[in-house]
Amino acid sequence: MSMINSLRAAVRTNRRRTAAGLFDSIHPGETPSAVVDCAVYQHGRRHGETCSPREAARLVKASKQLPEGEGSFSWIGLHEPTEAEFEGIAQRFGLHPLAVEDAVHAHQRPKVERYDDVLFAVFKTIRYVDHDQLTPTSEVVETGELMVFAGRDFVITVRHGGHSSLKELRHRLEADSDGTGLLAKGPSAVLHAIADHVVDNYMLVADQLQTDVDEIEFEVFSNRGGRGADVGRVYQLKREVLEFKRAVAPLLRPMQQLSEPLQRLVDPEIQKYFRDVADHLARVTEQVHGFDELLNSLLQANLAQVSVAQNEDMRKITAWAAIFAVPTMITGVYGMNFDYMPELHHRYGYPMVLGSVVLICVGMYRGFRRNGWL
């Protein structure tokens, strides 16, 4: 008899013995609409097809009574469940109400918390939004949330947002069918795999953001008549980087804590893998901090360039006003109705005055050009 048939037989026997037990109760709020995938794993191998969370809990509980049942756990994946949809699962696995509230309502800060024998982790997922050209209203990064409950014999993932699906990650872990892969290490291995998956996406998004930052930097310091880049584009990119920073920075310390020897809820062999995740996360954190500081400098440099350009405009306007003031003054003097004025009745007085005006204006123009005002 196969392992899964043995489990199902044990469940049927246990069901007849404890018809009114916790694992036989059907919670009215538990509906399959939010469940993306649910399976039972034994020694790193998946047994059977997708099952309901209630059946997965029964199978794992029954497997503990079998000699070969150690190391079995269930992995339940949900997408944006409502309170009613999550209520039955939370009661069945004994999840803390505070963690359940965070998982349902989302919009949480990245963190890792411990509730008795359950680790509750919150990850911000990031997706780079492709765009032909960065504009003052461009969306550069799209965020979502991923919550993970990791207990002794279960993993529950709750995903919010339309990206960062765990389907490919689950299939990749299940592809290691010889029983020696990470899944054989239990729920803490799944928690590590999810953390590693999220951080790898961070690294990919950071590399793509580097292109946008380089483009803005080139525009700020390129020869554009001293005008620099559009300040709206610089500010928008800074806002997107800050959103990325809020997703990455708070997660560094929790990842380091999961790699510490005192963390008894994590398999000792998995802790070294968490150290690798923490190292990658530290690299991304430093990179994002660098983006933020560079964009601050670019924003200040761009504003300084605009200020310098405005000063140059004012100097040009002042220089031209000074040049035009000379003929205005001279013609204004000769426009007065006086009988006795220099060269008023001289035969060549008119061309001499015009020549003087031209010579003075040309001299002033050359002087302003020599001093960089024009």
Side-chain angles (χ1 to χ4, degrees), residues 248-374:
V248 173
L251 198 59
L252 181 57
R253 181 55 186 159
M255 289 296 102
Q256 293 172 341
Q257 290 175 339
L258 290 177
S259 65
E260 295 174 355
L262 297 178
Q263 183 57 257
R264 63 182 182 86
L265 295 181
V266 179
D267 189 290
E269 295 187 23
I270 299 297
Q271 289 178 345
K272 65 183 71 174
Y273 292 98
F274 274 112
R275 285 198 296 269
D276 182 65
V277 174
D279 288 341
H280 290 170
L281 187 60
R283 172 193 161 189
V284 177
T285 302
E286 293 174 358
Q287 197 170 1
V288 174
H289 277 295
F291 290 159
D292 189 29
E293 293 177 1
L294 179 58
L295 287 173
N296 281 335
S297 300
L298 292 177
L299 191 60
Q300 294 175 2
N302 190 76
L303 294 176
Q305 287 181 340
V306 172
S307 178
V308 170
Q310 291 176 345
N311 290 336
E312 291 180 353
D313 291 341
M314 289 302 299
R315 288 195 301 178
K316 291 180 180 179
I317 294 173
T318 303
W320 283 112
I323 292 174
F324 283 109
V326 172
T328 302
M329 181 188 67
I330 295 177
T331 55
V333 170
Y334 277 90
M336 298 180 182
N337 295 321
F338 290 109
D339 289 333
Y340 302 101
M341 294 185 67
E343 309 299 337
L344 187 60
H345 300 287
H346 196 279
R347 183 174 184 177
Y348 300 103
Y350 183 70
M352 288 176 60
V353 171
L354 289 182
S356 300
V357 170
V358 172
L359 288 175
I360 295 173
C361 290
V362 170
M364 293 180 66
Y365 177 81
R366 294 185 61 183
F368 286 132
R369 282 293 298 261
R370 186 166 54 249
N371 294 326
W373 281 52
L374 289 175

Side-chain angles (χ1 to χ4, degrees), residues 93-328:
F93 291 94
L95 305 181
H96 196 280
L98 292 178
V100 171
E101 182 181 1
D102 290 346
V104 172
H105 297 289
H107 303 295
Q108 303 299 316
R109 188 173 185 267
K111 60 184 178 180
V112 175
E113 295 178 338
R114 174 182 170 184
Y115 295 95
D116 297 328
D117 288 339
V118 178
L119 285 176
F120 175 61
V122 178
F123 301 96
K124 286 283 189 181
T125 57
I126 300 291
R127 184 179 73 89
Y128 182 80
V129 180
D130 292 325
H131 48 270
D132 295 331
Q133 185 178 8
L134 182 65
T135 67
T137 58
S138 293
E139 184 181 17
V140 181
V141 294
E142 179 185 353
T143 61
E145 290 188 44
L146 181 62
M147 288 79 167
V148 183
F149 296 87
R152 295 290 185 183
D153 54 8
F154 67 87
V155 175
I156 301 174
T157 56
V158 181
R159 184 167 56 90
H160 292 266
H163 64 280
S164 297
S165 172
L166 298 177
K167 182 178 180 180
E168 294 183 3
L169 174 64
R170 187 191 285 254
H171 289 170
R172 188 168 68 249
L173 293 174
E174 292 173 353
D176 187 9
S177 58
D178 60 1
T180 61
L182 287 177
L183 281 179
K185 302 298 181 182
S188 61
V190 177
L191 178 59
H192 158 264
I194 293 173
D196 187 56
H197 173 71
V198 171
V199 173
D200 283 347
N201 282 337
Y202 289 167
M203 298 175 68
L204 179 61
V205 172
D207 291 340
Q208 292 170 315
L209 266 177
Q210 182 72 61
T211 303
D212 289 325
V213 174
D214 291 342
E215 178 183 347
I216 290 294
E217 184 179 14
F218 175 78
E219 288 191 13
V220 168
F221 295 105
S222 63
N223 185 15
R224 293 167 55 91
R227 301 293 176 176
D230 182 4
V231 67
R233 299 177 63 197
V234 181
Y235 186 72
Q236 177 64 16
L237 184 57
K238 178 175 173 56
R239 290 186 60 184
E240 297 296 300
V241 168
L242 284 176
E243 187 173 1
F244 191 13
K245 183 178 179 181
R246 284 194 293 267
V248 173
L251 198 59
L252 181 57
R253 181 55 186 159
M255 289 296 102
Q256 293 172 341
Q257 290 175 339
L258 290 177
S259 65
E260 295 174 355
L262 297 178
Q263 183 57 257
R264 63 182 182 86
L265 295 181
V266 179
D267 189 290
E269 295 187 23
I270 299 297
Q271 289 178 345
K272 65 183 71 174
Y273 292 98
F274 274 112
R275 285 198 296 269
D276 182 65
V277 174
D279 288 341
H280 290 170
L281 187 60
R283 172 193 161 189
V284 177
T285 302
E286 293 174 358
Q287 197 170 1
V288 174
H289 277 295
F291 290 159
D292 189 29
E293 293 177 1
L294 179 58
L295 287 173
N296 281 335
S297 300
L298 292 177
L299 191 60
Q300 294 175 2
N302 190 76
L303 294 176
Q305 287 181 340
V306 172
S307 178
V308 170
Q310 291 176 345
N311 290 336
E312 291 180 353
D313 291 341
M314 289 302 299
R315 288 195 301 178
K316 291 180 180 179
I317 294 173
T318 303
W320 283 112
I323 292 174
F324 283 109
V326 172
T328 302

